[in-house]
Amino acid sequence: MADSQWIFTESELLRTPSIFDGLTPEKERENRGKGVNFIFQVGIMLKLPQVTLATASVLLHRFYVRHSMADVPGRPGFHYYSMAATSVFLATKIEEDCRKMRELVIACVRVAQKDPQKTVDEQDKEYWRWKDNILHNEDVLLEALCFDLTLEPPYKILFEYLNLFGESDNRRLRNSAWAFINDSCMTTLCLMYSSRYIAASALYAAAKHCGTDMADDEDGRPWWEVIDVELIDIKKACNFLANVYENAHIKNGRDVSIHESTPEFGDESTAKTRATATRSKETPITETSEGVEDSRKRTRSPADAQERTVVNGQDEGHGDAVTNGEVKRRKVTNGHATINGDGANISMANGPGEMQARHDTVDDISEEGEVES
């Protein structure tokens, strides 16, 4: 497998060059996130597609597996802003969505200095500092990647899965899965699982959130066996991202993300995203304004609704509106939604064709505005 050299275990990712040079694992993850956020902000300014930005984030994560971002005596580290800009430059070539060097440099200067309206020209010292850094670091990045530029973004695989299971018109499911992949770019999930597994995990998380069941095939195989992935690995990937959400920084004096993990072991025949033959008979297919989908949706009994705490008509634990003993799916507010049951939280802010960054303003960029050459 071409990507096998870039797949690592969690324990191996605790022995990166940056950690050996003194950074804590938490600080390294934070700096990686800042670098990816920088990529997203620059991409927004350049109007780059999400696939290109995802490719750039993978390049950045792979680079720091072999190089350090920490400064040590006699050897400065590679700053994550500088390498993020270089990753964008290389990703635009890989995805054949190039931008002029001048446009890229100006966007980098504006994002780094937190001034999206800053006037930058070729007479500016910062312009040449960034340009020289990008051109110099391109060779370093290519060498670190061993010139392995064959990437398969999980977005394309996700849409193949949606078409395979007849869910391509399910907009809510599609947007939920898309948001999961967007958020995964901020983490090292791309260093632990292949694009195929990330796409399958996004589909699993989205199906749990949307209450969507996917029918078994003619041989009675569940959907994850149809696409040849292991359910336990899918759950591990979902839990990894759930842990990232749970460990998010506290903002405004309160924890902004409290999420439940998915049990990794259990009876596969009763998996919430699986529509078995028996369940399909119990919930016949009916036509709705959203298309043929009732056979894939889960139902809850009034007893289930009574077990939850209801405040102002909203289920606090799962965000479901409870009316006369019936549960109605809640709408997404503030760009976030929580997977029902034993699932993890995913961001719902964006769908296909849009970009998602958990830190989506220039003000969230760290105070380091300059990159030493």
Side-chain angles (χ1 to χ4, degrees):
M1 186 176 177
D3 291 339
S4 60
Q5 68 168 322
W6 298 110
I7 302 300
F8 306 91
T9 64
E10 288 191 61
S11 60
E12 288 175 332
L13 292 177
L14 294 177
R15 301 194 298 270
T16 60
S18 299
I19 294 177
F20 277 132
D21 285 343
L23 285 185
T24 64
E26 293 76 16
K27 184 62 176 178
E28 190 208 27
R29 285 194 294 268
E30 180 183 347
N31 289 347
R32 285 176 181 266
K34 289 179 180 179
V36 175
N37 186 46
F38 185 93
I39 289 172
F40 282 9
Q41 295 297 332
V42 171
I44 291 172
M45 285 192 175
L46 296 178
K47 298 181 179 180
L48 292 170
Q50 183 66 28
V51 171
T52 302
L53 302 184
T55 298
S57 67
V58 172
L59 298 180
L60 182 70
H61 286 305
R62 290 182 176 182
F63 175 80
Y64 284 119
V65 172
R66 296 182 172 171
H67 287 279
S68 174
M69 62 180 73
D71 293 327
V72 296
R75 178 177 57 79
F78 291 91
H79 197 278
Y80 41 89
Y81 284 174
S82 178
M83 295 314 304
T86 307
S87 298
V88 174
F89 181 57
L90 185 57
T92 57
K93 297 181 180 181
I94 295 174
E95 298 297 336
E96 298 182 351
D97 194 20
C98 297
R99 295 293 188 271
K100 294 180 179 179
M101 171 61 79
R102 182 176 182 275
E103 295 175 352
L104 173 61
V105 172
I106 291 175
C108 290
V109 173
R110 288 175 173 174
V111 173
Q113 298 191 5
K114 306 179 185 179
D115 185 359
Q117 305 301 325
K118 180 179 177 62
T119 301
V120 182
D121 56 36
E122 296 184 0
Q123 306 303 319
D124 195 320
K125 180 178 67 174
E126 283 298 299
Y127 176 91
W128 288 103
R129 184 196 300 272
W130 278 93
K131 183 176 181 179
D132 291 343
N133 269 316
I134 291 173
L135 293 177
H136 172 267
N137 289 336
E138 183 183 18
D139 292 337
V140 179
L141 177 59
L142 286 170
E143 182 180 357
L145 297 172
C146 301
F147 292 86
D148 180 8
L149 305 179
T150 303
L151 298 174
E152 189 174 16
Y155 298 98
K156 297 178 181 178
I157 302 175
L158 171 63
F159 277 104
E160 291 177 2
Y161 290 165
L162 290 172
N163 289 327
L164 176 64
F165 299 119
E167 298 288 352
S168 58
D169 294 330
N170 190 336
R171 183 176 180 180
R172 190 161 178 253
L173 177 70
R174 185 177 67 236
N175 288 359
S176 299
W178 186 278
F180 180 97
I181 298 177
N182 286 349
D183 288 344
S184 73
C185 293
M186 307 291 291
T187 72
T188 55
L189 197 65
C190 62
L191 299 177
M192 301 169 59
Y193 298 95
S194 65
S195 296
R196 189 163 58 89
Y197 267 93
I198 294 176
S201 301
L203 182 59
Y204 177 83
K208 290 190 68 176
H209 165 67
C210 299
T212 301
D213 293 337
M214 285 165 283
D216 295 350
D217 68 357
E218 296 177 354
D219 298 326
R221 296 183 303 167
W223 64 268
W224 54 85
E225 290 185 7
V226 173
I227 59 178
D228 193 25
V229 295
E230 296 292 335
L231 181 59
I232 187 173
D233 289 331
I234 291 177
K235 292 180 177 180
K236 286 180 179 179
C238 291
N239 287 341
F240 177 81
L241 197 58
N243 290 333
V244 173
Y245 292 148
E246 291 170 354
N247 295 328
H249 294 294
I250 295 178
K251 295 184 178 181
N252 299 325
R254 63 186 180 88
D255 192 345
V256 296
S257 55
I258 302 177
H259 317 282
E260 298 178 357
S261 298
T262 300
E264 296 173 3
F265 299 97
D267 186 359
E268 293 185 358
S269 64
T270 59
K272 295 182 178 179
T273 62
R274 180 184 182 188
T276 61
T278 302
R279 293 169 67 183
S280 297
K281 291 178 181 179
E282 293 174 352
T283 55
I285 297 177
T286 58
E287 286 285 345
T288 67
S289 59
E290 295 296 328
V292 181
E293 57 182 8
D294 284 335
S295 65
R296 296 183 292 268
K297 289 185 177 291
R298 295 165 43 218
T299 60
R300 294 196 184 99
S301 64
D304 293 333
Q306 294 174 0
E307 295 176 358
R308 297 182 171 84
T309 302
V310 181
V311 178
N312 297 327
Q314 292 292 323
D315 177 355
E316 277 194 326
H318 300 276
D320 295 334
V322 181
T323 306
N324 298 327
E326 295 182 354
V327 180
K328 296 181 180 180
R329 186 71 56 194
R330 73 176 171 87
K331 295 183 179 180
V332 177
T333 59
N334 297 328
H336 295 281
T338 304
I339 296 174
N340 290 313
D342 49 8
N345 189 66
I346 62 174
S347 172
M348 291 285 295
N350 301 292
E354 298 181 76
M355 288 176 290
Q356 162 70 9
R358 300 201 65 79
H359 310 288
D360 52 3
T361 63
V362 174
D363 290 337
D364 284 328
I365 296 293
S366 184
E367 64 273 6
E368 301 96 347
E370 297 184 356
V371 179
E372 297 183 0
S373 59

